[in-house]
Amino acid sequence: GAVVSQHPSRVICKSGTSVKIECRSLDFQATTMFWYRQFPKQSLMLMATSNEGSKATYEQGVEKDKFLINHASLTLSTLTVTSAHPEDSSFYICSAVRQPNTEAFFGQGTRLTVV
Amino acid sequence: QKEVEQNSGPLSVPEGAIASLNCTYSDRGSQSFFWYRQYSGKSPELIMSIYSNGDKEDGRFTAQLNKASQYVSLLIRDSQPSDSATYLCAVRGSSGNTPLVFGKGTRLSVIA
């Protein structure tokens, strides 16, 4: 299957600082990537759809000024959590689709802990 | 609102038995259906994809799709303790690059 690499896998940051998470498609070009958040014992919640070369589309209730998404190339999307607070602590996962209507491949996920 | 429903479980089966996981979806226009397995603390990994009515088999796994009933299932034969995980049903609508809609997952426990 296709490989999606996410980095870092785990990060601890202080409240008020910003954290950048990278998502790369290693062996295919992904015009669209998706960012999810998962709280313990809950399902994946879609945060935003990231399109190469254009602005991300955010789901209702997700603050676009807090969760900055940049999809600068066909193989890289980044999510920056700005002014992080303890309630932002969660498991963030990106995914990418190689071709329309096909399966999504997931990155390894990033465990963010804000202290 | 597009919804995907799964029984949260836990579903407990003895080792060697068949585990049956079920999923229903609300969007009748959905075209693509997927089963993912997620171990605790890890990201989901694809188990099966199915696009047309009927059965699709891959090793110990069989996915079944019935679009008329808006129902997808996953059968795991000869269940192993290593199959213990949360299984997520995911559905995509008719547009190619729309995000997957996930169910809340069914937690499977295979008891040795």
Side-chain angles (χ1 to χ4, degrees):
Chain A
V3 179
V4 176
S5 177
Q6 189 173 338
H7 177 81
S9 59
R10 189 180 294 270
V11 59
I12 301 173
C13 71
K14 291 185 177 181
S15 187
T17 62
S18 296
V19 173
K20 179 185 281 189
I21 302 169
E22 291 188 350
C23 179
R24 294 180 184 273
S25 55
L26 297 185
D27 56 352
F28 66 101
Q29 293 182 330
T31 55
T32 303
M33 291 186 177
F34 305 97
W35 287 95
Y36 294 85
R37 179 169 53 183
Q38 187 176 37
F39 292 106
K41 300 192 186 301
Q42 296 188 22
S43 188
L44 293 112
M45 293 175 52
L46 179 67
M47 298 177 67
T49 300
S50 169
N51 297 296
E52 186 267 336
S54 64
K55 291 184 179 180
T57 302
Y58 290 83
E59 295 299 298
Q60 192 172 6
V62 178
E63 300 174 60
K64 62 180 181 180
D65 295 330
K66 180 171 183 61
F67 298 99
L68 301 179
I69 292 174
N70 186 296
H71 196 150
S73 76
L74 288 171
T75 60
L76 174 64
S77 176
T78 61
L79 167 68
T80 301
V81 182
T82 63
S83 187
H85 291 284
E87 57 265 31
D88 298 324
S89 299
S90 187
F91 191 47
Y92 292 85
I93 315 172
C94 69
S95 76
V97 177
R98 190 203 297 262
Q99 294 178 2
N101 281 328
T102 62
E103 60 271 23
F105 295 95
F106 286 86
Q108 302 94 320
T110 298
R111 176 78 56 193
L112 171 63
T113 303
V114 184
V115 297
Chain B
Q1 180 93 14
K2 299 175 183 177
E3 294 181 346
V4 177
E5 299 287 341
Q6 293 181 257
N7 188 320
S8 61
L11 172 66
S12 295
V13 300
E15 183 176 359
I18 296 175
S20 177
L21 305 163
N22 305 313
C23 170
T24 59
Y25 58 95
S26 63
D27 182 8
R28 188 169 285 277
S30 299
Q31 297 294 321
S32 311
F33 307 88
F34 309 93
W35 283 98
Y36 287 85
R37 177 175 62 197
Q38 187 177 25
Y39 292 111
S40 181
K42 302 294 184 182
S43 67
E45 57 179 320
L46 181 69
I47 297 295
M48 292 281 288
S49 60
I50 187 166
Y51 302 94
S52 55
N53 282 327
D55 295 0
K56 179 181 177 182
E57 186 174 320
D58 183 2
R60 295 187 296 114
F61 300 97
T62 298
Q64 299 174 318
L65 173 62
N66 184 325
K67 289 186 179 181
S69 301
Q70 297 174 237
Y71 174 88
V72 193
S73 67
L74 179 70
L75 300 177
I76 306 174
R77 290 181 297 281
D78 189 22
S79 295
Q80 302 297 310
S82 58
D83 294 327
S84 299
T86 296
Y87 288 81
L88 302 169
C89 174
V91 176
R92 178 178 285 122
S94 55
S95 179
N97 265 342
T98 54
L100 295 176
V101 179
F102 283 88
K104 293 186 176 181
T106 298
R107 189 156 56 91
L108 173 67
S109 178
V110 181
I111 302 170

